[in-house]
């Protein structure tokens, strides 16, 4: 049982380049989330998808776009990477938005923007 | 929005010692989770505990929802317990977890 799988695990980009972070879950969860973690801090929500076909902004959405490709997959795109987006990115999923069930996290993607 | 405060921010223990980590939150919640972030950066689910008490081996947790706090107990600590412990709650309409800043635990051999 893989749970939440993120790819890639590490990536280095130059300022202005674009890339997409991939996330897939195999738990048949309805809701998925993208968070970022900066040094010495907890995680902050970038975007979320309550269910297939819907996406909404979180606390720090600027500079990012998302796609809920199907029930399993939720991708995060940086169109024009900036050094301020250097961070560790975590994808998570849960049975449903506001459900009384835990969120499950992937192992993270370490992204450096030079 | 809801605020989550964890204490202490840093903790150094000798192997074999016990410890208690605290999480206070500013409003009612319907989800509370404790995580361990290991030195490799992975977030490990420890407990889902919006109320009550749970135990898993040397770790246990108690949440008193009416008083808006949760405690994580680590007994007979081991060097592999080192890392950062996060408390996170769901209290808003977006359903996302709101994280505290964490307690950094170092267990010395």
């Amino acid at each position: 049982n893989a749970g939440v799988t993120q790819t890639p695990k590490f990536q280095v980009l130059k300022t202005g380049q674009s890339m997409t972070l991939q996330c897939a879950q195999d738990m048949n969860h309805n809701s998925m989330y993208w968070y970022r973690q900066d040094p010495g801090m907890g995680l902050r929500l970038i975007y979320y998808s309550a269910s297939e076909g819907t996406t909404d902004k979180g606390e720090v959405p600027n500079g990012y776009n998302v796609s809920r490709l199907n029930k399993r997959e939720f991708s995060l795109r940086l169109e024009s990477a900036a050094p301020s987006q250097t961070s560790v990115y975590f994808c998570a999923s849960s049975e449903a938005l506001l459900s009384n069930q835990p969120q499950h996290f992937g192992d993270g993607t370490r992204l450096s923007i030079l | 929005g809801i605020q989550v405060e964890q204490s202490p921010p840093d903790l150094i223990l000798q192997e074999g010692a016990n410890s208690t980590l605290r999480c206070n939150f500013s409003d009612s919640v319907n989800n509370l989770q404790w995580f361990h972030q290991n030195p490799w950066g992975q977030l490990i689910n420890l407990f889902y505990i919006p109320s009550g008490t749970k135990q898993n081996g040397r770790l246990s947790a108690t949440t008193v929802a009416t008083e808006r706090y949760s405690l994580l107990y680590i007994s007979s600590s081991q060097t592999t317990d080192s890392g950062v412990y996060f408390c996170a709650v769901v209290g808003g309409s977006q359903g996302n977890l709101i994280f505290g800043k964490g307690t950094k635990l170092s267990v010395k051999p």
Side-chain angles (χ1 to χ4, degrees):
Chain A
N1 188 355
V4 179
T5 302
Q6 293 183 234
T7 56
K9 295 189 183 305
F10 304 93
Q11 186 70 49
V12 179
L13 294 177
K14 294 181 179 179
T15 297
Q17 288 185 315
S18 62
M19 82 160 294
T20 300
L21 281 61
Q22 306 288 352
C23 175
Q25 53 90 11
D26 63 3
M27 294 173 282
N28 201 35
H29 285 168
N30 290 297
S31 299
M32 298 185 73
Y33 315 82
W34 277 105
Y35 295 86
R36 62 178 285 174
Q37 183 181 26
D38 298 308
M41 298 182 66
L43 281 65
R44 293 180 294 167
L45 183 69
I46 305 171
Y47 270 92
Y48 68 102
S49 171
S51 60
E52 186 178 356
T54 70
T55 61
D56 285 286
K57 295 178 180 179
E59 180 184 355
V60 288
N62 291 345
Y64 305 96
N65 286 301
V66 291
S67 296
R68 183 74 183 267
L69 304 170
N70 48 56
K71 191 172 185 179
R72 290 186 64 248
E73 298 173 289
F74 188 38
S75 63
L76 178 72
R77 183 161 178 84
L78 286 70
E79 291 291 352
S80 179
S84 61
Q85 294 177 304
T86 293
S87 190
V88 181
Y89 292 84
F90 288 93
C91 177
S93 70
S94 65
E95 189 173 286
L97 199 69
L98 300 175
S99 70
N100 293 331
Q101 295 294 325
Q103 291 188 19
H104 299 264
F105 284 78
D107 286 344
T109 295
R110 289 186 176 274
L111 183 60
S112 293
I113 315 296
L114 305 178
Chain B
I2 194 165
Q3 304 294 316
V4 180
E5 294 184 358
Q6 292 186 242
S7 59
D10 296 279
L11 185 59
I12 300 174
L13 297 177
Q14 206 66 35
E15 197 169 26
N18 302 327
S19 63
T20 301
L21 283 57
R22 187 176 180 100
C23 172
N24 292 331
F25 42 95
S26 60
D27 206 343
S28 60
V29 299
N30 51 26
N31 179 343
L32 188 147
Q33 293 181 244
W34 282 98
F35 297 90
H36 174 214
Q37 188 164 41
N38 62 25
W40 296 270
Q42 295 173 311
L43 273 174
I44 311 299
N45 261 312
L46 296 177
F47 293 102
Y48 168 75
I49 187 164
S51 64
T53 298
K54 291 187 178 180
Q55 182 159 6
N56 184 3
R58 296 181 295 103
L59 273 60
S60 63
T62 295
T63 297
V64 183
T66 53
E67 297 187 21
R68 300 180 184 168
Y69 73 89
S70 183
L71 302 173
L72 178 68
Y73 305 97
I74 304 174
S75 64
S76 304
S77 58
Q78 301 176 356
T79 56
T80 52
D81 294 332
S82 295
V84 183
Y85 289 81
F86 287 105
C87 168
V89 305
V90 173
S93 60
Q94 292 179 328
N96 60 295
L97 287 166
I98 307 296
F99 281 75
K101 292 186 176 181
T103 292
K104 184 176 181 181
L105 175 64
S106 299
V107 181
K108 306 297 185 186

